[in-house]
Amino acid sequence: MTLATAEVAPDTHALRGSLPLWVGIVSYAVLIFAGDRLLNDPDTQWQITVGQWILDHHAVPHTDVYSFTMHGAPWISTQWLAQVLYAQIYAWFGWAGPVVLAAAASAATFALLARYLVRNLSERAALVFVAVALALTAPHLLARPHVLALPIMVTWIGELIAAADRRGTPPFRLLPLMALWANVHGGFVFGLMMIAPIALDAVIQADASNRMALAVRWGVFAALALAASCCTPYGWESLLASRNILALGSALPLITEWRAVDFTTWRPFEICLLGGVGLVLYRGIRLPPLRIVILLGLIHMALSQGRAAEILALLSPLVLAQPLARQIGEAGAASSLSLRPVRGVMLTGLAVVLVAGTLMFAAMHRFTPNAANSPVAAVAELKKLNVERVFNDYDFGGYLIASGVAPFIDGRTELYGEKFFVDYDRASGLSEPDNLFRLLEEYHLQATLLRTQSAASKLLDHVDGWQKVYSDEIATIHVRKAGASHTAEPSAHFP
């Protein structure tokens, strides 16, 4: 696919300049129509519950108030502002609220990406990059706090890269954006870390006579950005919270979104990665040394953690844009590629159409979380049993918190720590069956709420002292009952 495009006629400038706007509109419409998919993550439910707690108490949490295994343990929410936004919009509009909020943030992300790219590249090239970004980020576009941070991340890195491209420093008016990011999602630490390599790139490419002064200005900006990131209810504790994630060690690969990329089957990530390598080999593209380092770092992150694919997809085009423009003939197109102002009447009309379309679709379609992660009927039965200590499936934790039932474990993995989570995984997956029986006794568990098809649930069908009292296609409940005995021996099949 040819990335360069010829000079366009003046009467097409308005259409070209409005590409970011149309990217945002189309992205939003697609995500709204796929709205239920944005509610697939079980963590959404406990995120909203925490946000409502913050609204009710006019304070942010410092200890766990939900689980019975870690109740009272130190825990802070670095994404408290996003949780409040989700909780408030859920209170107003039900599940349609979080869907619309997440879709709008995602659409803004792709619109901003297009806006930064068309400063250097043709709209055709920008559209290719945006399409790749949409394909790679789609699996992680969920109604969770990180989605609200994506447009902030693109703007932050986009402005840093733009400053490096012009051999200058970012404007200080960008600093409040870091403060906002620090209150929306813990990923702001990544934004701080990216200052150093981008600053070094700017300094190295600057004139020798200007390097020292430029380095000092970048240093001042970095210091102020660090200070801005501490403008949260937790102060500098928000910075230290990232240690809890990194300290999970062997527990991280057990979480789907933190696993390394699997190349055993064809996936969009592999296709896009190979396509990028092929383009570089075909066009002989050269990058400045620091841009290569940054790009390789982003690729390493995406290979080692599946959730980082979105970072690679959204940020690598920003890193590549100007070097590509210099090598594939984009010079001289700046006047036609700049984002032209769109008349207020047109913007107002589009806004009215989007709002009306959203309201009509929401009236016809009832958004609901993924039923596989919401054992509604099973939890209703569980509440009738008046049990307080329940061993639950990991994905059921969010629904239990939202339902007012204290979970054994939930999606706040950093709260539970590496050993606890690894022990739980080995117990629930029966890779170490003794762990299951140890945890049942150690925590004096009164009942279990596990997926019906899980190995642990099937085993408990045949364990004396545990009785199955409820089961449906999603979840099964076993209760501890003295004298209960299994009615059939577990079957054994030998090859």
Side-chain angles (χ1 to χ4, degrees):
M1 181 175 293
T2 303
L3 292 181
T5 57
E7 192 72 43
V8 295
D11 59 355
T12 65
H13 289 180
L15 177 61
R16 288 171 58 81
S18 62
L19 176 69
L21 176 64
W22 292 111
V23 164
I25 291 172
V26 173
S27 300
Y28 175 79
V30 170
L31 290 169
I32 285 295
F33 278 107
D36 284 335
R37 194 198 162 283
L38 300 180
L39 299 176
N40 276 352
D41 197 290
D43 286 354
T44 299
Q45 301 194 54
W46 71 256
Q47 300 276 8
I48 290 175
T49 304
V50 171
Q52 190 58 55
W53 186 94
I54 295 172
L55 289 171
D56 293 340
H57 293 80
H58 304 288
V60 292
H62 287 82
T63 59
D64 173 40
V65 297
Y66 295 108
S67 76
F68 67 87
T69 47
M70 294 291 168
H71 191 81
W75 177 72
I76 66 172
S77 178
T78 55
Q79 45 207 14
W80 71 272
L81 182 56
Q83 291 164 341
V84 166
L85 292 174
Y86 276 124
Q88 188 61 72
I89 202 167
Y90 173 77
W92 287 339
F93 304 108
W95 286 112
V99 168
V100 170
L101 182 59
S106 301
T109 300
F110 298 118
L112 285 166
L113 177 61
R115 180 177 182 270
Y116 282 106
L117 292 180
V118 295
R119 291 177 175 180
N120 295 291
L121 300 173
S122 69
E123 293 206 335
R124 182 181 300 178
L127 204 53
V128 169
F129 278 122
V130 171
V132 170
L134 180 57
L136 295 187
T137 58
H140 209 210
L141 293 180
L142 302 160
R144 287 176 50 184
H146 76 275
V147 168
L148 304 189
L150 291 181
I152 302 175
M153 179 182 73
V154 169
T155 302
W156 178 263
I157 301 300
E159 291 297 327
L160 295 188
I161 292 291
D165 287 341
R166 63 176 183 268
R167 314 295 187 264
T169 52
F172 288 131
R173 66 175 181 274
L174 194 62
L175 294 172
L177 196 65
M178 174 52 66
L180 176 62
W181 193 356
N183 287 279
V184 169
H185 190 260
F188 75 94
V189 176
F190 172 77
L192 291 174
M193 293 174 59
M194 287 296 292
I195 295 176
I198 296 175
L200 189 57
D201 175 62
V203 171
I204 289 177
Q205 296 190 71
D207 295 335
S209 60
N210 191 40
R211 286 176 182 168
M212 181 59 68
L214 187 61
V216 170
R217 292 199 298 271
W218 272 95
V220 172
F221 178 84
L224 293 175
L226 181 64
S229 72
C230 294
C231 295
T232 75
Y234 298 109
W236 61 275
E237 284 186 79
S238 297
L239 279 169
L240 302 180
S242 59
R243 297 180 308 172
N244 296 332
I245 296 292
L246 299 177
L248 288 174
S250 59
L252 283 178
L254 302 177
I255 305 172
T256 302
E257 63 184 6
W258 286 93
R259 291 174 186 165
V261 175
D262 179 9
F263 289 118
T264 56
T265 58
W266 282 94
R267 299 178 185 274
F269 179 81
E270 182 177 5
I271 295 171
C272 295
L273 184 61
L274 293 177
V277 172
L279 175 64
V280 171
L281 293 175
Y282 178 72
R283 296 298 298 263
I285 296 170
R286 296 172 61 87
L287 299 177
L290 260 297
R291 297 291 172 103
I292 295 175
V293 171
I294 294 173
L295 184 60
L296 291 178
L298 295 175
I299 293 174
H300 170 73
M301 288 175 57
L303 290 172
S304 58
Q305 301 169 0
R307 63 178 292 161
E310 68 198 43
I311 298 177
L312 173 67
L314 293 170
L315 301 189
S316 60
L318 301 176
V319 174
L320 295 169
Q322 192 184 67
L324 278 178
R326 290 199 300 264
Q327 296 177 60
I328 62 178
E330 293 297 327
S335 62
S336 65
L337 294 176
S338 61
L339 184 62
R340 293 173 58 89
V342 182
R343 291 182 179 180
V345 173
M346 180 182 178
L347 281 176
T348 303
L350 288 173
V352 170
V353 170
L354 285 177
V355 171
T358 300
L359 292 175
M360 289 177 60
F361 184 72
M364 295 184 296
H365 179 81
R366 183 173 177 268
F367 296 104
T368 55
N370 190 341
N373 299 323
S374 305
V376 179
V379 170
E381 292 297 320
L382 186 67
K383 289 182 176 181
K384 297 176 184 178
L385 299 174
N386 294 319
V387 291
E388 296 180 351
R389 307 180 71 83
V390 181
F391 184 81
N392 62 278
D393 182 89
Y394 178 78
D395 287 340
F396 292 165
Y399 182 76
L400 287 175
I401 289 177
S403 302
V405 178
F408 181 89
I409 193 170
D410 57 77
R412 299 169 299 161
T413 315
E414 74 281 4
L415 166 66
Y416 296 93
E418 178 183 10
K419 183 181 184 306
F420 185 96
F421 185 82
V422 170
D423 282 349
Y424 167 83
D425 182 77
R426 292 172 178 172
S428 60
L430 291 189
S431 60
E432 294 183 7
D434 286 346
N435 261 9
L436 174 63
F437 300 115
R438 178 178 63 81
L439 293 179
L440 292 176
E441 297 303 322
E442 181 179 337
Y443 287 93
H444 308 290
L445 296 167
Q446 301 167 295
T448 66
L449 177 69
L450 300 170
R451 293 194 180 276
T452 297
Q453 300 303 321
S454 71
S457 182
K458 296 296 185 184
L459 176 61
L460 287 174
D461 286 343
H462 306 283
V463 174
D464 290 341
W466 289 88
Q467 181 180 29
K468 184 193 311 187
V469 296
Y470 177 83
S471 183
D472 59 28
E473 67 277 7
I474 298 173
T476 293
I477 300 174
H478 289 86
V479 296
R480 186 189 295 271
K481 186 175 181 181
S485 60
H486 59 265
T487 56
E489 293 295 334
S491 60
H493 300 281
F494 299 95

